[in-house]
Amino acid sequence: MRKAALFAMLLVALTLLAGCSAGGQEIESCLFVIAMAVDPAPDGNLTVTVKALSGSQSDGAEGSSASGGQDGGALEGNEEGSGQSADAEQPEPGYIVLSATAPSCIRALNLLSATTPRTLNLSQLQEIVLSRALAETEATLPILQEIHSMYRANGAAIVVVTPDDAGDFVRRQHALLGVRLSKYLRVLFEHFSEIDTIPPKAELSSVIAAMLSRTSDAAAVYAAGNDFSGTLVLPGASDIDRLPGHLPRTSPAQNEYLGSAIFSGARMTGVLTGSETAILCLLMGEAMTRTSVIDGALYKTNVRTKVKRAIDDDGTLSVDIALNLTLVAGESTRTDADIAAEIERSAVNLIRKLQSMESDALGFGDIAIRTSLDIPSWEARNWPLLYTQSPVRVTARTRVL
């Protein structure tokens, strides 16, 4: 019996080894992209910038064993008369930045593959950065779909919109705290998700699905660089009730991730501050460990917050919130009713702001479509217009422990 079992295990191992070699790629032949940026270029072209592993063994970055580290600096390619160009630069040990300009995103990526002696690999992609000028056009969806269609593209990569040049944003993106860039970005997005300063469901696959949906809209992460020369202190306002690029702080990290880029269909129509994004997370039922600063006192939810979204018989967009709060630091100067009233006011203002952006980021359309018998009756309702004109009601119940 033991011999039979050992023989069966050997057969399984041989099968797995054969699968690894058939149709696979050696690590040394791949150019692993960690971050990608897309900017508009003249004559309707796009400039795609990628930050990838350079493969230099002496750097030790990302644990890559690829040899040589010769992908940067000297690599340049250009096709005369085609309006396409590619270039590369070596920004920091262990990483390389390459860029290409072409009529479409996928052609720019193909151009990078054609001018780099490695195969472009998006399996480790963590971040896709779009310039705001581009995100406010209908080109956003085709661009994201092209990236997603690339072989082994990471559908969990986070979609980011910046008012800066997206290529420069990626060039400024450096790993901090002694970890490799891919791990740093994962930890960064997990941290900001936990404190509700970036929107949930900002992954590439989720954003594409929301853009294609006719019952909800997408929200991506909003981010910007901060050179600390234009900081903005808002007296009496929440510390995060602002947009990135104006935080009164200093840090080795030049890029700030704070707030949401709101879409209507495939086009960006507005932004939310960090505080507004926290309310968005709350209304979506995604604020699992929400922290709040109210009049200098720090509160934290100690159990899962209960949120129910509905559409009343009269067409009112309705949200019911129930949460328990624990006082963590400072002194409480508000009653439970005062805190509930503040949440209700902030939530109503957020929903009305989303309505003004023609964005159903909270997915009320997913509720409305359930009352339609078929697609023609749903389309006859003209939900996009009906949504923007609907009244709003929010009820909050809080208990401070």
Side-chain angles (χ1 to χ4, degrees):
M1 290 294 294
R2 291 182 178 178
K3 290 183 178 179
L6 180 60
F7 181 72
M9 292 173 63
L10 288 173
L11 284 178
V12 172
L14 289 172
T15 302
L16 292 174
L17 288 173
C20 291
S21 61
Q25 293 180 339
E26 296 292 337
I27 293 178
E28 290 80 0
S29 68
C30 294
L31 183 68
F32 290 99
V33 176
I34 308 301
M36 175 186 298
V38 186
D39 288 291
D43 302 323
N45 292 316
L46 297 175
T47 296
V48 176
T49 305
V50 299
K51 192 164 194 176
L53 303 181
S54 68
S56 174
Q57 291 185 1
S58 61
D59 304 326
E62 297 282 339
S64 174
S65 61
S67 62
Q70 300 294 321
D71 293 350
L75 285 178
E76 294 187 357
N78 183 46
E79 291 188 23
E80 291 188 13
S82 67
Q84 304 184 45
S85 63
D87 59 78
E89 56 183 284
Q90 187 77 32
E92 60 182 307
Y95 301 95
I96 183 174
V97 173
L98 305 94
S99 63
T101 300
S104 69
C105 185
I106 199 165
R107 288 178 64 179
L109 291 172
N110 287 338
L111 184 57
L112 287 177
S113 294
T115 56
T116 306
R118 291 188 185 174
T119 302
L120 212 64
N121 188 303
L122 303 185
S123 63
Q124 303 302 310
L125 182 64
Q126 302 297 323
E127 177 182 57
I128 302 167
V129 184
L130 304 176
S131 68
R132 180 168 181 172
L134 190 61
E136 291 177 335
T137 71
E138 298 290 339
T140 306
L141 179 58
I143 288 172
L144 295 180
Q145 287 177 315
E146 287 181 346
I147 295 172
H148 194 247
S149 68
M150 296 288 287
Y151 181 58
R152 291 182 177 175
N154 180 18
I158 300 297
V159 179
V160 177
V161 176
T162 179
D164 306 335
D165 180 277
D168 289 342
F169 185 94
V170 166
R171 291 182 182 91
R172 290 192 304 265
Q173 186 70 75
H174 302 296
L176 300 176
L177 307 177
V179 297
R180 61 190 187 274
L181 181 59
S182 59
K183 177 63 175 178
Y184 171 71
L185 288 174
R186 285 196 296 270
V187 171
L188 179 148
F189 290 125
E190 288 173 1
H191 170 70
F192 291 141
S193 295
E194 288 174 357
I195 62 175
D196 303 327
T197 55
I198 64 173
K201 301 179 182 178
E203 300 86 1
L204 173 61
S205 56
S206 298
V207 170
I208 291 175
M211 287 181 175
L212 292 173
S213 170
R214 304 182 69 174
T215 58
S216 63
D217 287 301
V221 177
Y222 198 62
N226 191 342
D227 60 6
F228 314 119
S229 62
T231 56
L232 179 64
V233 178
L234 304 178
S238 166
D239 295 331
I240 59 172
D241 191 19
R242 67 192 80 210
L243 296 174
H246 300 288
L247 299 186
R249 57 98 197 181
T250 59
S251 167
Q254 297 182 47
N255 292 336
E256 296 174 349
Y257 297 82
L258 182 69
S260 306
I262 299 299
F263 286 80
S264 176
R267 182 175 59 87
M268 177 181 167
T269 55
V271 295
L272 300 181
T273 67
S275 293
E276 290 170 333
T277 298
I279 296 297
L280 176 71
C281 294
L282 176 64
L283 297 183
M284 294 179 73
E286 299 289 343
M288 303 305 178
T289 56
R290 173 175 166 79
T291 59
S292 306
V293 178
I294 304 175
D295 290 344
L298 179 65
Y299 300 86
K300 185 174 182 179
T301 55
N302 62 343
V303 294
R304 184 187 178 104
T305 300
K306 297 180 180 179
V307 179
K308 180 181 179 181
R309 298 188 301 275
I311 300 178
D312 296 341
D313 294 338
D314 62 355
T316 299
L317 307 180
S318 173
V319 182
D320 184 77
I321 306 169
L323 72 161
N324 295 334
L325 298 174
T326 299
L327 181 63
V328 177
E331 293 186 10
S332 177
T333 60
R334 299 276 194 103
T335 65
D336 294 3
D338 291 337
I339 296 175
E342 177 65 26
I343 292 174
E344 290 175 357
R345 183 165 52 252
S346 299
V348 168
N349 290 339
L350 173 67
I351 296 174
R352 287 175 177 167
K353 186 171 184 177
L354 291 174
Q355 287 177 309
S356 69
M357 298 175 184
E358 300 181 352
S359 174
D360 187 7
L362 290 173
F364 281 103
D366 294 333
I367 302 171
I369 197 173
R370 299 172 193 165
T371 60
S372 298
L373 298 177
D374 50 33
I375 296 299
S377 62
W378 165 251
E379 293 179 343
R381 292 181 64 179
N382 193 10
W383 172 250
L385 178 62
L386 189 63
Y387 163 75
T388 60
Q389 299 175 347
S390 298
V392 177
R393 180 182 63 83
V394 177
T395 303
R397 299 185 304 281
T398 65
R399 184 176 63 168
V400 178
L401 303 178

